């Protein structure tokens, strides 16, 4: 019985050894069992080809017999150190065999329990690992060189937007000399508060995968609170799960670009104003030509006709009558001519046609002009000004309003003063100014197609002023419309584009 029991134990022990050998051989590495004096007692591997020789070639041979002397010396050194320190050590080396000279290996010693007579040496092929590591190191080197030597400011941030690293170009852009001062701050501290929300939104979009990268213009706060316009390009570095590890920011100083852009915009505005003024002056010349052709032709023709009539007239009373008509025609001609010269001189002055005018000034001038009517309670002028400034020669509106108010006063009845209300506002990029009265006459504001009806009488000087005003409103891209109020009175609305 005892013999059978021991036989069973031997069989079980052999099975365990076999299982152990199979287990060790299933490992991709090469495992050597080495004695204290450097003799290889055993070896295991899942792929015998990894040994380069038969397994029996290694058994009971020393390290110096198998490996080149230089490599064997290194192996012996870490073996002795491992036995002495009771601790495992690692050494990396190139393949000593000519068949695979580029293969890289790692030998790691491992202590077997409390044994001091032998240990295991695990040899692992790390060629692929080292090649991948070399590629990563090469990419890191390229990135670091590009990061540090870039002429564009570069900034590396963590997920909380803390500064991890930045390059010299960014340091120059922001004007900081102290490295620690920049590293101690978060990105939001470098962004002007008026742009901080937009910049944060851009980071959030990149972080949440809404955009792969975000490009945004923002005002940055440089050293000594100097404000700079910068172009910020935000991208991210993610791990295998897609989680953001770092943010990379490229930052360009736009100060020079913005300065040149502002100069160019100013020059364009100036050119537009000059071009506009030239067009207006051409339009004025056309209006003057029309006045010369029509308004002045009549008095000149009348004068010539009267002179001819005087030369043949013999009756004293008829001559006197003709002389009076001649004086009237001549006076009318001189008044028109003086007004024409005055208008030309005014338009040829250095004052810009687009100089800002004020509606409050217009109202003040009207009140001065109609001072007597206001003081005698014939006229009352009120205003509701929502927008006070306008880029339009106020004299043209003043001319129209004087005429309109005069026509309104013409309907005055004792005890019923004329109420005038002037309003101004902007809606949908259009400037509006209106004038309304409480007159009974439906036609007292009639300046629509021909300014006046043929049956109405008006001084030629006022007619010319109204004609000029009408032409300029149209040329500015504006218009005027006349409405009858529901109960009593009229409204004239002049509209002009905001950007002339």
């Amino acid at each position: 019985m005892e013999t059978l029991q021991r036989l069973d134990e031997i069989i079980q022990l052999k099975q365990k050894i076999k299982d152990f050998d199979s287990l060790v051989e299933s490992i991709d590495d090469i495992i050597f069992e080495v004695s204290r004096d450097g003799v290889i007692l055993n070896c295991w591997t899942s792929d015998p080809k990894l040994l380069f020789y038969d397994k029996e070639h290694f058994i009971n041979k020393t390290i110096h017999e198998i490996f080149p002397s230089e490599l064997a010396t290194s192996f012996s050194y870490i073996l002795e150190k491992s036995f002495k320190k009771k601790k495992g050590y690692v050494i990396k080396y190139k393949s000593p065999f000519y068949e695979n000279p580029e293969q890289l290996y790692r030998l790691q010693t491992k202590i077997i329990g409390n044994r001091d007579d032998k240990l295991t040496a695990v040899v692992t092929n790390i060629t692929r690992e080292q090649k991948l590591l070399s590629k990563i190191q090469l990419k890191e080197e390229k990135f670091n060189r590009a990061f540090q030597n870039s002429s564009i400011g570069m900034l590396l941030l963590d997920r909380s937007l803390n500064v991890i690293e930045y390059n010299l170009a960014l340091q120059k852009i922001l004007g900081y000399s102290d490295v620690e001062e920049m590293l101690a701050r978060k990105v939001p501290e470098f962004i002007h508060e008026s742009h901080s929300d937009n910049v944060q939104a851009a980071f959030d979009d990149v972080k949440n995968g809404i955009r792969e990268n975000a490009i945004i213009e923002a005002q940055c706060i440089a050293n000594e609170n100097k404000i700079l316009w910068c172009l910020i390009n935000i991208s991210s570095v993610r791990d295998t799960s897609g989680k953001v590890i770092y943010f990379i920011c490229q930052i360009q100083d736009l100060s020079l670009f913005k300065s040149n852009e502002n100069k160019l915009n100013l020059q364009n505005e100036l050119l537009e104003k000059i071009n506009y003024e030239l067009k207006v002056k051409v339009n004025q010349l056309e209006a003057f030509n029309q006045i010369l052709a029509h308004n002045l032709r009549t008095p000149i023709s009348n004068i010539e006709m009267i002179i001819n009539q005087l030369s043949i007239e013999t009756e004293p009373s008829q001559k006197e009558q003709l002389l009076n008509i001649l004086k009237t025609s001549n006076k009318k001609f001189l008044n028109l001519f003086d007004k024409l010269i005055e208008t030309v001189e005014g338009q040829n002055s250095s004052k810009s046609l687009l100089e800002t005018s004020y509606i409050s000034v217009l109202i003040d001038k009207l009140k001065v002009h109609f001072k007597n009517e206001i003081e005698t309670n014939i006229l009352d002028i009120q205003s509701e000004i929502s927008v006070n400034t306008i880029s339009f020669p106020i004299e043209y509106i003043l001319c129209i309003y004087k005429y309109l108010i005069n026509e309104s006063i013409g309907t005055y009845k004792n005890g019923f003063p004329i109420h005038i209300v002037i309003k101004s506002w902007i809606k949908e990029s259009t400037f509006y100014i209106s004038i309304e009265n409480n007159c009974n006459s439906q036609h007292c504001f009639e300046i629509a197609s021909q300014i006046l009806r043929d049956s109405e009488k008006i001084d030629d000087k006022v007619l010319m002023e109204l004609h000029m005003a009408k032409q300029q409103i149209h040329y500015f891209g504006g218009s005027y419309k006349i409405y009858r109020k529901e109960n009593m009175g009229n409204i004239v609305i002049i509209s002009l584009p905001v950007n002339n």
Side-chain angles (χ1 to χ4, degrees):
M1 288 292 296
E2 185 176 352
T3 302
L4 291 174
Q5 184 178 357
R6 289 193 176 278
L7 184 61
D8 288 339
E9 290 177 355
I10 292 171
I11 293 172
Q12 291 177 5
L13 183 59
K14 286 182 177 181
Q15 185 62 43
K16 285 182 179 181
I17 293 173
K18 185 177 180 181
D19 292 341
F20 171 76
D21 289 340
S22 299
L23 178 63
V24 174
E25 287 177 354
S26 67
I27 300 173
D28 290 336
D29 302 327
I30 304 171
I31 301 176
F32 292 99
E33 187 178 31
V34 186
S35 67
R36 192 180 187 95
D37 54 4
V39 176
I40 297 175
L41 304 175
N42 204 348
C43 67
W44 300 269
T45 180
S46 60
D47 184 3
K49 293 180 180 179
L50 297 176
L51 293 173
F52 300 102
Y53 299 105
D54 292 335
K55 177 179 178 180
E56 301 301 325
H57 179 76
F58 292 94
I59 304 302
N60 296 323
K61 289 186 179 179
T62 65
I63 290 173
H64 286 278
E65 290 178 295
I66 297 174
F67 299 102
S69 60
E70 186 176 349
L71 185 58
T73 301
S74 298
F75 287 169
S76 297
Y77 172 76
I78 66 167
L79 287 173
E80 291 174 5
K81 193 173 181 180
S82 296
F83 280 116
K84 185 177 180 181
K85 300 289 186 178
K86 294 292 183 180
K87 181 180 178 182
Y89 290 92
V90 176
I91 184 174
K92 295 179 181 179
Y93 62 95
K94 275 191 175 184
S95 171
F97 304 106
Y98 294 109
E99 294 86 345
N100 295 280
E102 300 301 322
Q103 297 293 309
L104 298 172
Y105 294 91
R106 179 181 65 238
L107 184 144
Q108 183 176 7
T109 59
K110 293 181 178 293
I111 301 300
I112 304 174
N114 293 322
R115 300 288 296 267
D116 57 0
D117 59 337
K118 62 181 179 179
L119 53 72
T120 58
V122 181
V123 178
T124 305
N125 189 327
I126 58 171
T127 305
R128 184 172 178 274
E129 176 186 326
Q130 286 298 117
K131 286 182 177 180
L132 290 174
L133 183 61
S134 297
K135 287 182 179 180
I136 292 172
Q137 289 174 340
L138 181 61
K139 289 182 179 180
E140 285 183 353
E141 180 65 21
K142 288 180 178 179
F143 173 80
N144 289 333
R145 286 181 179 274
F147 186 93
Q148 294 298 337
N149 299 325
S150 174
S151 58
I152 299 174
M154 300 290 289
L155 191 62
L156 190 64
L157 311 169
D158 64 14
R159 286 172 51 84
S160 300
L161 304 186
N162 292 308
V163 178
I164 298 175
E165 192 173 354
Y166 61 91
N167 66 352
L168 184 60
L170 181 62
Q171 189 173 341
K172 289 180 178 179
I173 290 172
L174 298 181
Y176 286 93
S177 57
D178 186 357
V179 175
E180 297 301 324
E181 186 177 1
M182 285 192 67
L183 292 176
R185 302 173 69 181
K186 292 186 177 182
V187 161
E189 298 179 46
F190 294 101
I191 306 299
H192 192 273
E193 59 181 0
S194 61
H195 295 261
S196 59
D197 290 344
N198 291 338
V199 173
Q200 184 64 54
F203 274 104
D204 291 341
D205 286 351
V206 174
K207 182 178 180 180
N208 296 325
I210 298 174
R211 290 189 281 176
E212 290 187 6
N213 70 305
I215 300 175
I216 185 171
E217 287 186 10
Q219 285 185 320
C220 297
I221 304 173
N223 194 22
E224 299 180 353
N225 293 322
K226 183 180 178 182
I227 303 299
L228 297 176
W229 272 102
C230 294
L231 182 68
I232 305 175
N233 188 329
I234 304 167
S235 56
S236 63
V237 177
R238 300 174 182 270
D239 60 17
T240 53
S241 66
K243 183 179 179 181
V244 172
I245 306 174
Y246 304 113
F247 289 104
I248 301 174
C249 295
Q250 298 178 13
I251 301 176
Q252 293 176 267
D253 184 2
L254 296 181
S255 300
L256 181 60
F257 171 80
K258 286 291 183 180
S259 176
N260 291 335
E261 184 181 46
N262 291 336
K263 290 179 182 178
L264 184 60
N265 289 336
L266 290 174
Q267 289 174 350
N268 287 337
E269 289 178 7
L270 180 60
L271 287 174
E272 287 178 3
K273 288 182 178 181
I274 293 173
N275 184 54
Y276 172 77
E277 292 182 1
L278 288 174
K279 289 181 179 180
V280 170
K281 288 184 183 295
V282 169
N283 182 259
Q284 289 171 347
L285 289 174
E286 292 176 354
F288 294 153
N289 181 61
Q290 186 176 356
I291 292 169
L292 289 171
H294 297 85
N295 300 75
L296 293 181
R297 177 176 292 178
T298 300
I300 292 173
S301 298
N302 289 340
I303 291 171
E304 184 178 0
M305 181 187 67
I306 294 168
I307 292 172
N308 292 333
Q309 188 66 30
L310 276 171
S311 64
I312 62 175
E313 185 62 57
T314 57
E315 180 65 33
S317 60
Q318 290 293 328
K319 279 190 174 185
E320 185 177 356
Q321 187 177 358
L322 288 172
L323 283 171
N324 289 333
I325 295 174
L326 179 61
K327 289 178 181 179
T328 301
S329 295
N330 187 58
K331 184 179 179 181
K332 185 177 182 180
F333 168 75
L334 291 175
N335 286 338
L336 281 172
F337 194 72
D338 288 342
K339 181 58 182 177
L340 187 61
I341 292 174
E342 179 185 334
T343 304
V344 172
E345 289 177 347
Q347 298 305 330
N348 287 335
S349 67
S350 60
K351 184 178 180 181
S352 172
L353 294 172
L354 292 178
E355 184 174 341
T356 299
S357 301
Y358 300 94
I359 305 302
S360 58
V361 173
L362 166 71
I363 295 171
D364 290 341
K365 288 184 177 182
L366 287 172
K367 288 181 177 179
V368 170
H369 184 79
F370 294 102
K371 181 179 179 183
N372 292 334
E373 288 80 0
I374 292 173
E375 290 178 350
T376 55
N377 296 322
I378 294 175
L379 180 66
D380 174 48
I381 299 177
Q382 300 295 328
S383 62
E384 298 177 14
I385 303 174
S386 296
V387 180
N388 190 34
T389 59
I390 177 177
S391 295
F392 181 82
I394 204 70
E395 289 78 11
Y396 296 126
I397 299 178
L398 180 63
C399 169
I400 294 175
Y401 279 17
K402 282 181 180 179
Y403 165 72
L404 296 175
I405 294 174
N406 271 323
E407 290 296 301
S408 300
I409 292 173
T411 67
Y412 170 73
K413 293 181 181 180
N414 191 25
F416 297 94
I418 302 299
H419 293 290
I420 298 293
V421 180
I422 298 172
K423 300 178 182 179
S424 66
W425 68 95
I426 286 180
K427 182 180 180 181
E428 296 179 354
S429 300
T430 301
F431 173 86
Y432 296 92
I433 180 170
S434 69
I435 181 170
E436 58 184 273
N437 67 4
N438 61 339
C439 297
N440 289 317
S441 172
Q442 184 175 351
H443 301 289
C444 70
F445 272 8
E446 182 60 57
I447 60 168
S449 60
Q450 297 298 328
I451 300 180
L452 295 168
R453 298 185 305 281
D454 295 337
S455 60
E456 293 181 344
K457 293 182 180 180
I458 185 171
D459 185 86
D460 285 336
K461 181 178 178 180
V462 176
L463 178 61
M464 189 179 74
E465 290 178 345
L466 289 173
H467 181 73
M468 290 294 299
K470 172 186 172 184
Q471 292 294 323
Q472 294 310 310
I473 288 173
H474 280 303
Y475 196 77
F476 267 76
S479 63
Y480 48 78
K481 295 181 180 180
I482 304 164
Y483 302 93
R484 179 68 178 167
K485 292 171 67 175
E486 183 176 352
N487 297 322
M488 183 177 64
N490 306 276
I491 303 174
V492 174
I493 300 178
I494 297 174
S495 63
L496 293 162
V498 172
N499 297 317
N500 294 304

